[in-house]
Amino acid sequence: MMEINTPADMDKKYHKLILVTAPSGSGKTSIVKFLIRKFPVLAFSVSATTRKPRSNEKDGVDYYFISQESFEKKIHEKEFLEWEMVYEGKYYGTLKSEIERLWSEGRVPILDIDVQGAIHVQQHYPVNTMVVFVQAPSAEELRRRLESRGSETLESLEARVSKSAYEMTFKKHFDKVVINRDFDTACQEAAGLVEDFLAKP
Ligand code: 5GP
């Protein structure tokens, strides 16, 4: 859901922004981590979410893990650039303050975001935004990856697999597509896209 469109945002269109989007389980988070290690100017934009942290996740690093009440208060107070209920009952959102902080530090924010969120952010910042869509090789492979991650319940796994088929239909909205058949190759392809984008005036 798009939340802002004020004249004050107009000058921000000259700041660069990178969005990495994909169906869940396609490996985009690992690709984002690779890109951040490779390009020091990139900085991960930490989203807020109401889902529970996984065992390897840290608050303020992977997400700002907040309560539903606090998330809804931030929606009300228009603190989000965009937000979605990505999975049933779980909110995810990009904080305006996060993007602005990174821009003020001279960094290029990189967002790990679902396809609807990517479309909204792209509409909001159409000029200097690059969106990379990461495609998992097949539905079977996607299911296998989600299972091997071991962090999903049967219910949340099914929700992610069925949402992923729906999200694949959005591929046509994005002109930069990286197929994650082989992780290293996908990283190199994504790095090539980022390099070209950063080199643009
Ligand atoms: P996960 O629960 O696996 O960390 O993330 C689930 C989905 O939510 C992923 O597709 C991820 O990219 C997306 N996501 C993470 N942060 C945001 C956000 O701020 N906004 C939106 N719209 N989606 C997000």
Side-chain angles (χ1 to χ4, degrees), residues 85-148:
M85 191 169 269
V86 177
Y87 295 107
E88 196 56 46
K90 301 293 176 220
Y91 287 118
Y92 294 77
T94 308
L95 291 158
K96 293 178 197 172
S97 57
E98 185 74 4
I99 301 294
E100 277 157 17
R101 180 177 66 79
L102 297 173
W103 276 340
S104 75
E105 291 172 5
R107 314 289 293 280
V108 175
I110 180 164
L111 281 66
D112 176 333
I113 192 166
D114 87 319
V115 288
Q116 312 261 23
I119 289 168
H120 286 142
V121 175
Q122 192 178 30
Q123 282 166 351
H124 194 75
Y125 295 119
V127 177
N128 265 347
T129 299
M130 178 173 75
V131 189
V132 179
F133 183 90
V134 180
Q135 184 182 333
S138 65
E140 295 72 38
E141 174 65 8
L142 186 67
R143 180 182 287 273
R144 202 190 55 73
R145 285 184 193 181
L146 285 168
E147 278 169 358
S148 72

Side-chain angles (χ1 to χ4, degrees), residues 22 24 28 47 51 54 63 82 84 86-87 92-94 112-114 117 149 160:
S24 182
K28 72 177 176 305
S47 295
R51 83 147 163 77
R54 298 184 184 128
Y63 282 104
E82 61 74 42
E84 298 285 335
V86 177
Y87 295 107
Y92 294 77
T94 308
D112 176 333
I113 192 166
D114 87 319
R149 190 154 82 185
R160 281 169 188 258

Side-chain angles (χ1 to χ4, degrees), residues 166-181:
Y166 171 66
E167 285 177 324
M168 277 304 295
T169 67
F170 285 84
K171 181 181 155 186
K172 58 182 180 292
H173 288 271
F174 307 111
D175 56 350
K176 309 271 189 289
V177 178
V178 167
I179 302 179
N180 191 6
R181 232 176 252 115

Side-chain angles (χ1 to χ4, degrees), residues 25-59:
S26 56
K28 72 177 176 305
T29 305
S30 306
I31 293 175
V32 167
K33 286 186 176 153
F34 168 84
L35 293 172
I36 289 169
R37 279 197 305 275
K38 186 167 170 75
F39 299 98
V41 73
L42 302 185
F44 184 60
S45 164
V46 180
S47 295
T49 185
T50 58
R51 83 147 163 77
K52 295 273 172 285
R54 298 184 184 128
S55 57
N56 58 338
E57 289 178 328
K58 286 197 184 66
D59 185 39

